[in-house]
Amino acid sequence: MSTQYEHILTSRPNPSVALITLNRPKALNALSTPLFLELNKALFEADADQAIGAIVLTGSEKAFAAGADIKEMKDKEFSDVYKNNFLANWGELSRLRKPVIAAVSGYALGGGCELALMCDIILASPTAKFGQPEINLGVIPGGGGSQRLVRAIGKSRAMELVLTGRMVSAQEADQWGMISRVTDNVVEEAVKMATEISSKGQIAVQAGKEVVNAAYELTLAEGLRFERRTFHGLFATKDQEEGMTAFVEKRKANFTHL
Ligand code: CO8
């Protein structure tokens, strides 16, 4: 990850983890088109890097991201946003095969909340505030918030957030099942979790991500069949052989991602 970026920072806290930090502090990490182009590039670079097992996405202490860049959107017109499919590339993150952990501190609003919801796991610091305030701007969520929130927290709570624009605290988001947990040192905890995931066989991790995500799309019967077939398929991997042999031999598995 040697590319120099203007709106994000990239680093490798250890060889198996990519850390991407949104970095427009003066605009509370408002998600502009140039930022998203950089973010997508960094995400896909990390996804393609064989040495990386998981990705952590974070912002600053004050803001994970305060939403789409309102100054960029303000003067746009329907013909422009519709013809050019404005924000269509914002969903790219959900095409990644490796797990992405969102480490959220401060504001995660509008597109920022939606970006966190696109990640596979959300950890939040006690300062985190989640919300979909688009209604106050005369619009509605456009990055999947209305759909992913319903699945994450149910219709009534999603409706409340989308229609009132109210922010919820990390604690409330935790009670609602929107995030995994609230923790101090959220980036450190996310990196620790990413390192743990990276110590597993990458094929099994990717398969695990794929089957969990399939639950969003499939009926229970189809999902169960897909899970079973994927499980069967893992018996073609060296990691399955190694993992089970290591258990029987009472030693730590040495996964080779093959
Ligand atoms: N866009 C552009 N600039 C922003 C944004 C934003 N979303 N949020 C904050 N900023 C800027 C402010 O304009 C200000 O800049 P300046 O100093 O030049 O005036 C700077 O960041 C600091 O902000 P504040 O002075 O407002 O800081 P406060 O601490 O007083 O308030 C808040 C913090 C409450 C977060 C406040 O900034 C706020 O309400 N921001 C807007 C939140 C919002 O409405 N977000 C939703 C945007 S719409 C959207 O996200 C639609 C998404 C659709 C698709 C997404 C696909 C993934």
Side-chain angles (χ1 to χ4, degrees), residues 24-28 30-31 36 62 66-73 87 90-91 107 109-112 114-115 118 132-134 136-137 139-144 167:
R24 287 188 75 202
K26 286 189 188 140
L28 302 184
L31 302 164
F36 243 94
K62 183 151 188 210
D69 190 323
I70 299 166
K71 291 166 188 165
E72 180 186 338
M73 283 187 296
L87 302 183
W90 282 42
Y107 298 110
L109 302 177
E114 293 171 306
L115 183 62
M118 281 178 217
Q132 299 290 161
E134 289 92 340
N136 300 325
L137 301 168
V139 290
I140 60 168
M167 289 184 215

Side-chain angles (χ1 to χ4, degrees), residues 238-248 251 253-255:
K238 292 203 165 48
D239 282 345
Q240 172 270 331
E241 197 182 326
E242 165 63 8
M244 294 190 184
T245 304
F247 176 83
V248 171
R251 61 173 174 82
N254 178 26
F255 294 119

Side-chain angles (χ1 to χ4, degrees), residues 52-72:
I52 289 175
I55 301 163
V56 174
L57 177 61
T58 194
S60 68
E61 283 290 314
K62 183 151 188 210
F64 177 71
D69 190 323
I70 299 166
K71 291 166 188 165
E72 180 186 338

Side-chain angles (χ1 to χ4, degrees), residues 2-17:
S2 52
T3 316
Q4 286 299 307
Y5 296 107
E6 198 184 332
H7 307 294
I8 61 171
L9 302 170
T10 56
S11 64
R12 293 281 274 268
N14 65 54
S16 65
V17 175

